[in-house]
Amino acid sequence: MIDPVSCVALATGAYKTLRAGLDTYKDISEMGGALANWGKACSDFQQIEERHKNPPFWEKTFKGSDMETATLLWAKKEEMSRMRSELKDYVSWNFGPKKWDEILSIEAQMRKQRKDEIYKKQARIDAAINFAIGAVIFSIGAAILFGLFYFWGSKQGRW
């Protein structure tokens, strides 16, 4: 899974490419690659936010501070929001509101595609990791319980 810093860096690169293209009055449809990267970055960032709200068990247990992650996400969310606002204003002002609606539809299409492909795969990986950790914890607990009963029985002379 991509981290918030890399996601915002990808979005910033796509944003700069889009702005440069729009400054030279290129049509939105001519900048499909930059627009696709922008859509991917926005989708990934939204997924990171959703994942942070309800992280998998293994991530809660073994990752760093929640406060640090929340602060980083907040700062990066503000940066993404600023880029989106500037891009919306620029596109709407120079090309009309219909072009911004076109960008939003492309972004929604990218989000749906990534949700179907990548995010479901990550959810399966998280479930497998959670299962493996649960199995290890269960096995250790069962071994400890068996050991306790064994030593208790041997102290009483039953074994």
Side-chain angles (χ1 to χ4, degrees):
M1 192 76 189
I2 194 167
D3 65 306
V5 175
S6 299
C7 184
V8 173
L10 179 66
T12 302
Y15 170 77
K16 287 179 181 178
T17 303
L18 282 169
R19 280 295 303 257
L22 293 172
D23 283 340
T24 59
Y25 294 102
K26 285 187 179 178
D27 191 41
I28 293 291
S29 59
E30 294 176 21
M31 297 183 301
L35 202 51
N37 286 340
W38 170 258
K40 287 177 188 177
C42 289
S43 177
D44 287 345
F45 191 78
Q46 186 179 25
Q47 179 66 22
I48 289 169
E49 284 184 310
E50 290 298 319
R51 184 181 172 97
H52 179 69
K53 290 177 185 173
N54 188 19
F57 171 76
W58 65 270
E59 203 168 271
K60 288 179 194 174
T61 307
F62 299 112
K63 288 287 182 174
S65 166
D66 284 342
M67 186 64 167
E68 177 184 332
T69 305
T71 305
L72 177 66
L73 276 176
W74 175 80
K76 296 304 177 184
K77 182 178 182 178
E78 290 297 315
E79 189 174 342
M80 291 287 285
S81 177
R82 180 191 54 78
M83 283 190 286
R84 177 183 289 282
S85 176
E86 285 180 15
L87 192 60
K88 177 185 179 195
D89 292 344
Y90 190 83
V91 169
S92 295
W93 181 260
N94 291 319
F95 299 100
K98 286 190 176 193
K99 286 294 183 182
W100 180 249
D101 292 338
E102 185 179 328
I103 289 175
L104 290 180
S105 69
I106 291 170
E107 184 182 344
Q109 180 183 4
M110 293 299 300
R111 188 175 296 122
K112 183 182 182 310
Q113 179 183 358
R114 289 184 74 76
K115 184 176 183 179
D116 290 342
E117 295 172 359
I118 297 172
Y119 305 145
K120 285 183 180 179
K121 181 180 178 184
Q122 185 63 41
R124 286 192 303 268
I125 291 170
D126 290 341
I129 291 172
N130 285 343
F131 178 78
I133 289 173
V136 167
I137 290 171
F138 177 78
S139 299
I140 290 171
I144 289 171
L145 190 61
F146 176 77
L148 287 174
F149 280 126
Y150 176 77
F151 288 119
W152 185 40
S154 66
K155 285 281 189 189
Q156 291 180 351
R158 294 185 179 180
W159 313 111

